[in-house]
Amino acid sequence: MKGIIFDFNGTMFMDSDLHEAAWLYLIQNYSNKEMTKEDILKNIHGKTNDVILRHFISQDLSEEEIQKLSDEKEAYYRDSVLASSAHKEFTKGLLEVLDYLKREKIPMTIASASPKINMDFYFDYLNLGKWFDYKKMVYHTGSFPGKPAPDIFLIAAEKIGVDPQNCLVIEDSYSGLQAAHNAQIGTIVAIDPEGKNRAVFAAEGLAPDGIIEDFSTFIPDYL
């Protein structure tokens, strides 16, 4: 492993519950569809907002309608983060990992399905600039297909100057792990803090290099 690519939501920052609540709020307001556990696994986490909105609300949404709904959902989510006393820090053990990677000068970046406005929020909220080059981060712009397509990880690998087969990707989502496989990433690790998706990830071979609960033993196990 010569470089590392982090997913963000549900990986570096345990906020999956807040995203699910924000999507539930939006879907209940604009659709008659229900959000099932399988939807949360396969049609919410890791997907871009336009894909989620077209799946749950309407395939006929205009770009303007998608932007308006996306902005509403993300504003609701960010307000929830700021209001929550349980969402103030990185995932357990990650701070030590980031300090180690910086100290050892191991190339690293973030590849997230989140829009730019959220990544700007995280840079301020969690001081990400201490470890990451903003220009090397990859987020959803609409200029390339989202996960499970490989593009986001191929772009991230190129930005840190490491071949995909020499990268380690750490992901929490079903779609994100599929994207890592499709990008032919050399080392693929899943993070599943509550064990909700471990059986699915294992059964489908999505995390060939391990499934972790947090970053407590990440340095000796992978670095």
Side-chain angles (χ1 to χ4, degrees), residues 69-126:
L69 290 168
S70 178
D71 288 346
E72 182 177 351
K73 178 264 171 179
E74 298 305 349
Y76 184 101
Y77 158 77
R78 290 192 302 275
D79 286 345
S80 298
V81 172
L82 294 174
S84 173
S85 61
H87 297 80
K88 301 296 183 187
E89 300 176 345
F90 289 121
T91 302
K92 182 180 178 181
L94 179 59
L95 183 60
E96 290 77 12
V97 172
L98 295 179
D99 285 342
Y100 176 89
L101 293 170
K102 182 179 179 180
R103 186 169 60 249
E104 297 298 317
K105 298 181 179 179
I106 296 173
M108 60 177 171
T109 192
I110 297 169
S112 172
S114 287
K116 181 179 184 297
I117 191 170
N118 278 15
M119 297 315 299
D120 290 345
F121 169 76
Y122 302 136
F123 254 75
D124 291 338
Y125 188 68
L126 294 168

Side-chain angles (χ1 to χ4, degrees), residues 106-161:
I106 296 173
M108 60 177 171
T109 192
I110 297 169
S112 172
S114 287
K116 181 179 184 297
I117 191 170
N118 278 15
M119 297 315 299
D120 290 345
F121 169 76
Y122 302 136
F123 254 75
D124 291 338
Y125 188 68
L126 294 168
N127 193 28
L128 292 178
K130 180 178 178 180
W131 303 277
F132 294 95
D133 182 343
Y134 184 92
K135 294 179 180 179
K136 293 182 180 179
M137 182 178 64
V138 188
Y139 48 81
H140 180 61
T141 63
S143 61
F144 56 87
K147 303 168 185 178
D151 302 57
I152 192 168
F153 290 128
L154 296 177
I155 293 168
E158 183 177 6
K159 284 196 172 190
I160 61 173

Side-chain angles (χ1 to χ4, degrees), residues 148-176:
D151 302 57
I152 192 168
F153 290 128
L154 296 177
I155 293 168
E158 183 177 6
K159 284 196 172 190
I160 61 173
V162 179
D163 289 337
Q165 61 266 29
N166 291 325
C167 287
L168 183 154
V169 161
I170 174 72
E171 258 282 0
D172 74 303
S173 74
Y174 184 86
S175 297

Side-chain angles (χ1 to χ4, degrees), residues 169-174 176-178 180-181 186-192 197-212 222:
V169 161
I170 174 72
E171 258 282 0
D172 74 303
S173 74
Y174 184 86
L177 292 167
Q178 287 179 317
H181 279 271
T187 305
I188 302 173
V189 179
I191 184 166
D192 186 21
N197 304 317
R198 183 176 294 267
V200 174
F201 293 165
E204 298 191 24
L206 292 175
D209 300 294
I211 302 174
I212 62 175
Y222 294 103

